[in-house]
Amino acid sequence: MRLGDPVTASCTVTQSCSHLDPEPQILWKLGAELLQHRGRQQSHPDGSQKSTITLPHLNSTHTFLLCYLNWSNSLQLLDQAELWAGYPPAMPSNLSCLMNLTSNSLICQWEPGPDTHLPTNFTLKSFKSRGDCQTQEDPIKDCVPAAGQSSCSIPRKHLLLYQNMVIWVQAENALGTSLSPQLCLDPMDVVKLEPPTLMALDPNPEMALPQPDCLWLRWEPWKPSIYMDQKCELRYRPQLREASWAQVAPLPSSTTRYELCGLRPATTYALQMRCIRWPLPGHWSTWSPSLELQTTQGAPIVRLDTWWRQRQLDPKTKQVQLFWKPTPLEEDSGQIQGYLLSWSTPGHAGPVLLLCNTTELSCTFQLPSGAGEVTLVAYNRAGTSHPTPVVFLESKGPALARLHAMARDPQCLWVCWEAPSPVPQGYVIEWGLSPPSPSSTNMTWRLEPNGSITETLLQENIRPFQLYEITVTPLYQSTMGHPKNVYVYSQEMAPPRTPVLHLKHIGKTWAQLEWVPEPSELGKSPLTHYTVFCTNMQDQSFSTILNASFHGFVLHGLKPSTLYHVHLMATSQAGATNSTSLTLMTLAQGESELHIFLGVFGILVLLILLCGTAWLCCSPSRKNPLWPNVPDPAHSSLGSWVSTTMAEETFQLPSLRDPSMTSITKITVLEEEEKKQLGPWESSDSSETCGLPTLVQAYVLQKDPRAASTQSQPQPGASDQVFYGQVLGSSTTPGPGPYIRCDSTQPLLGGLTPSPKSYENLWFQTSPLRMPVSPSQNQEDDCVFGPLLDFPLLQGLRVHGVEGLAGF
C-alpha cells in the first residue's frame, strides 16, 4: 500500500469458543502501541463476534497489526498482519554500458531513483536488433543484479559483436512497474581500454649534462589493445602543495617515448596516462598509476648577502669570520650543494687561494692585513652561481641616532631606530642570546638593503623569556657606521627576585623595615613601585604602596605584643613578585615603664601642690587669715629678757635704744577716755584698726645687755611681729590697768594654757576657760588697775607717750 493511505482490517471470534464470555472484547495493536479506538464490534447470527477497525493514515513503512482477545484480564493474540507501505518504483535513469575486454563482458549501470520503502526488483533486459534498433530479434537472457546493486554484466557468450542491441532496465515492486529509456548500441562501440604502463627513460647518453627542466619517459599499451588504433593523453603535476594537474595534447600511438620539458629544475613530478580507441568510437581508459620523476638541478640563481667580523691577530695577519645568506632570485633557482670562498692577490695573475668549501653559512679564515676582498659562489652539479665579491669595509660612518626594541609576542621582537644623516644604503641587524650560551648557535643576522626603513620585525630564532642583544650597523657607499646595540627580553617575566626585608627597629606600636634594592638587569623593565603587606594573626591586613626609590618604611598603628607577618611585593611593567615573609612581634607594655609613668605623674602632682602652697604662703593677703605667724614664746628670746636677778638689777635704758636689736612685740597704751570705746573683751588687730587719737607707740624689749647669753636664738624680723595684747591705762587713775588678750590660737609660752602662772598674774585665775574677766562697774569710773609691773613680761618695756603713768 502507499505510505499514508488508510488501512481497514477485521478480526472474527467463532462460537466454538464456548468457554468465552457471551460478548467477548476484541482489542487491536499497531506494532507495540495499543490502539484506543477498539473498532466496530458486531455479533453474527451464528454466534461469532467480528471487530472491524480503520486506520486513517499509515505512516510507518513496515509494521504489524495485531488482533487480541481480552480474556481474564489478559490479552490473548488471535491473529496478526504484516503491513508494508511505500511508493511505486521510479523510472531508472542514466543507463550506460561499457565493453570490458578484460572480463570480456558488457557491463551496464544505472541510477535506481529514490527509495520506494518496498522490496523492489531491477532487471536488465535486452534483445538483438538490426539497423536502427527498430526491429526486435532474438531476446537476450535477463540480467538480474545482486541485492542493492545498480549494475549488471552480460557475458560475452550472450552478445553478438558488431551488431546492435537494445538494452533497458525494468523496476518492479508491489505497487507497480517502471521502465528506463532504451539504449541502442554496438558492444564494440563502447569498448573501454585499460590504461598503459608508464616508465622512466634514461636521458640521451650523448648529452654531457641533461637539461634541468626536462623529463624523459616511455610507456607500454595494454596488451589486448596492441593491434587497435588508439590515442593517449599525458598529465603531470609537481609534488607541491595545492599544485594542479597540467595536461599534454593527445600523443599518437605510433610512438611510445616522450620528452617532457619546461619543468622546474630539481622538482619531483607525478605523471599519469590514459588511452582510447581512435578513430573508432570508444571510452577513455582510467588514468594509469602515477609515475614520479625528478628533474635535474640547474645552476644556483641566488643573491648572496654577506656580513663579517674580523680581529687583528698580529701586525701582518687578521682573522675574519664571514657569514652569508642565499636569497633566490627566481622561483626555480636551483638547489645549492655547497659554497666556495676564494682569495686572489689583487693586480697579480697568481693562483687563486681556496679559503673554504663548505655547506655551512659561515666560514672563519685568516688573511694578510692588507687583504680587503674575497669571492663567494654557490654551486651544485649543474654549475655555480654568479660570483659575489665581499669587500671588508672600515667603520668610519656615523652610527644610529637612537635604537629601541620591544617584544611584540613570545616569538618576535620589534626593533626601531632613528636613521643617521646621511641616510645609509642599508642595515645589518644582528641578534642573539645575551650572554651567549655554549650550546647556542651563532648570532642570527639579516641584511636590510633598503636604507629608508627605520623598523623591522625579528621572528627568526626567538625564544620566549630570553634576553637578547640586538645590534644594528648602517651601511654606506664605501664604508659602514659604528654599530649600536640594545638589550631586550622576549615576553619579559616578572622580576625574578624581590629585596629581602630586614627589621631595623621595633617598638610597641611601630616597626621600622628596610631592604636593599636588587641591582638592575640588562633588558629588564625597571621597578615601578613596592607594596608592603602586613597581616596579623586574625587575618586582618593592610598594605601600603611605595615609590621604587624607597628603601625602607615604618609601620605605624600596630598593637603591642602582637605577631605580624610582613612581606614586600616588587612590581614592574611585566608583573609582580613577592618576597619571603618576615615575622615580627611588637614589644609588650613593660611594668618599669608603667612605674616611670606613675612616678612622673606623681612628681607633677607634687609640684602642683608645692607651687600652690608656696603661692598661699608668699601672698600676704592670704597668709594671716589662714595661720598667723605667731612666734612661740617658749622657744623665743623672751625667756632671756628677764634674768633671775631682775629685782636687784637696774636696766640701762640707753642700751634699750640699740637700733640693732630686733622688735619683738608691740604694746599699745590707750588713754582712759578711749578705753571706754572698746568692749570689755574686744581686741584690736593693729594701731590702724583702733582708730584712736591718743598716742600709740611701739616699744622694743631687748635682752639684758649685761647677760652674756651664748644660746643662739632666732631673731624674727619686723614683718614677723604678732599682736599679743593691749594694755589699757590712764594717767589720772592710779592702779594697774586692764589687759586685753588677742584671740590668736598661737600658744604664747608653749603650755596648756596661754595665760601666765598663778604667781605671775593673778588676773587670770578667775578665768579657767582662758578668757579674761571683765572689770567691775565700779572700776570703770576710777580705772583702778594694778601696777603694770605685775606682768613679768612688761618689766622691761619702755613706755613713751604716757609720762604720768602711775606706779610704773
Side-chain angles (χ1 to χ4, degrees), residues 198 215 217 234-240 243-248 260 263 267-273 287-295:
L198 282 176
L215 290 176
L217 68 153
L234 177 68
R235 67 178 184 179
Y236 63 93
R237 69 175 179 185
Q239 295 288 66
L240 302 176
S244 58
W245 291 97
Q247 189 167 324
V248 181
L260 181 62
L263 306 178
T267 305
T268 301
Y269 284 85
L271 300 95
Q272 293 180 343
M273 181 176 281
W287 289 102
S288 65
S290 295
L291 173 65
E292 293 184 358
L293 297 177
Q294 185 177 10
T295 55

Side-chain angles (χ1 to χ4, degrees), residues 610-624 626-627:
L610 291 177
C611 291
T613 305
W615 177 70
L616 292 175
C617 292
C618 296
S619 177
S621 61
R622 292 172 176 81
K623 175 179 178 182
N624 292 331
L626 294 178
W627 52 82

